[in-house]
Amino acid sequence: MPKTVNATALTEAQKSANNPIYLLELALTGSTLRLAGTNADVVFPSSGGSTYTGWGFQFGAVTNQITGGIDRVAVRMDNTGNSLSSYVVNYDWPGRVLTIKRVFGNLLSNSAYAMTVFAGTMSAPVVNQHNVEVMVVSPMARLAKQAGRLYQNLCPWEYGGTECGDTGGTCNKTLANCVTNDNVQRFGGFVYIPSRVL
């Protein structure tokens, strides 16, 4: 099922100067730690929402594996003065969920404007006097199977099913067939992926 993004938030994201704010939610045992990648605290949603403490953090590129590997991202949070060490000592981190969200400074009024960048379970934190770092892996890591869908030239959808939506004839799973049936927007294959990588 494809992700749906709020239309207002999508318009804002496409602006050249959109003032993005990244939020971290760490669902620790018995407590949720909320951090905002800003100098000041952020309340989101702005009316009656949760307070995200202004904090220094960074995260790497989200790794998406078309070969069936597990999606993951490294997150590093500031620990100057051992400010996060008490959370590491007093709460369980491994296996708990960390969510990265993106919001916009002028769209804080509604939780629907948040876009989830990544959500997954944390590894044991690596702690020093400067940083607390965790690796966050997709929930697919809990399953003993490949993540995601197959990248193939032919369409993987069931003919006439929810993803396909076409019930007007026959289907041979090719893009040409979708062109004939005026259903290209729902074609689920990847025709520009080479059949063999050398």
Side-chain angles (χ1 to χ4, degrees), residues 25-193:
E25 295 178 359
L26 290 80
L28 306 175
T29 308
S31 178
T32 299
L33 178 60
R34 294 179 174 90
L35 306 176
T38 57
N39 292 327
D41 294 354
V42 173
V43 177
F44 181 74
S46 54
S47 179
S50 300
T51 299
Y52 292 78
T53 304
W55 207 269
F57 62 78
Q58 61 186 25
F59 54 91
V62 175
T63 304
N64 294 301
Q65 308 282 339
I66 68 170
T67 58
I70 302 300
D71 299 346
R72 63 189 65 229
V73 62
V75 179
R76 180 180 296 160
M77 295 157 279
D78 181 57
N79 191 37
T80 304
N82 293 318
S83 48
L84 277 185
S85 294
S86 63
Y87 283 93
V88 175
V89 171
N90 294 313
Y91 297 97
D92 292 329
W93 288 50
R96 306 301 296 179
V97 174
L98 184 149
T99 304
I100 304 170
K101 293 181 179 180
R102 184 175 63 191
V103 297
F104 301 97
N106 57 343
L107 287 178
L108 296 176
S109 60
N110 191 324
S111 60
Y113 296 151
M115 290 178 257
T116 299
V117 176
F118 194 82
T121 55
M122 294 184 284
S123 65
V126 176
V127 184
N128 62 39
Q129 68 270 31
H130 303 295
N131 301 297
V132 173
E133 185 168 353
V134 291
M135 181 62 70
V136 186
V137 298
S138 163
M140 294 298 290
R142 293 184 175 187
L143 303 177
K145 64 178 184 179
Q146 292 184 338
R149 55 186 270 213
L150 294 176
Y151 287 76
Q152 58 189 6
N153 293 333
L154 298 178
C155 183
W157 308 139
E158 177 185 350
Y159 179 67
T162 304
E163 295 90 356
C164 170
D166 183 20
T167 57
T170 60
C171 179
N172 63 2
K173 304 284 188 177
T174 64
L175 178 62
N177 191 83
C178 274
V179 170
T180 301
N181 292 338
D182 194 27
N183 198 37
V184 173
Q185 73 278 8
R186 291 182 167 174
F187 180 72
F190 298 86
V191 294
Y192 301 107
I193 300 287

